Amino acid sequence: MALSEGMADPLPPDPPTPDSPATDLPERPFGPALARALRGRCPACGEGAMFAKFLKPTPACTHCGQRWDKHQADDFPSYIVILLLGHILVPLMIEVNSALAIPLGIQAFLWPTLALLLAAALIQPAKAAVITFQWSRRMHDFR
């Protein structure tokens, strides 16, 4: 006899856990929050600053009070930057070397300098994106 024919489910539903999503909490859409975070603003309200220093998030938003010191971004933003740099620089090096005859001495200065500049430009947005993703999904202590 199938469950749809009136037989009761033999297993009771699982009790809620601290990690299970609550249905009464407001939604946190990732897209708009990411757009705010990439501009250096608080992903929750868009008013306060996301970072107190270059890579140090503010303890809490000065406008809405959202805590940002609970994130666990760790090394993931660096991994994202390394992946992006590889996908940007390697094709660029191949194309430049096939189209132009740049001396190796100039290339030895050009590519590492470009890599450092791009890494510095990408690391803060990458960290903002990781923290925003954790916040929007209520991961770790973002409840």
Side-chain angles (χ1 to χ4, degrees), residues 3-14:
L3 287 176
S4 61
E5 295 176 8
M7 199 171 171
D9 188 6
L11 298 175
D14 291 333

Side-chain angles (χ1 to χ4, degrees), residues 27-104:
E27 190 174 321
R28 294 178 177 170
F30 178 64
L34 179 63
R36 291 188 291 265
L38 291 177
R39 289 191 307 271
R41 310 311 304 162
C42 170
C45 69
E47 298 294 324
M50 176 82 176
F51 291 97
K53 295 183 180 175
F54 182 61
L55 288 178
K56 182 166 181 60
T58 58
C61 176
T62 56
H63 186 263
C64 70
Q66 172 64 50
R67 301 282 313 244
W68 295 115
D69 56 357
K70 300 174 184 244
H71 74 86
Q72 294 182 10
D74 300 330
D75 293 335
F76 190 49
S78 301
Y79 299 145
I80 293 171
V81 169
I82 291 167
L83 180 73
L84 289 173
L85 284 179
H87 283 82
I88 293 169
L89 288 178
V90 171
L92 188 59
M93 285 188 218
I94 292 170
E95 289 300 316
V96 166
N97 281 322
S98 67
L100 305 171
I102 298 176
L104 287 177

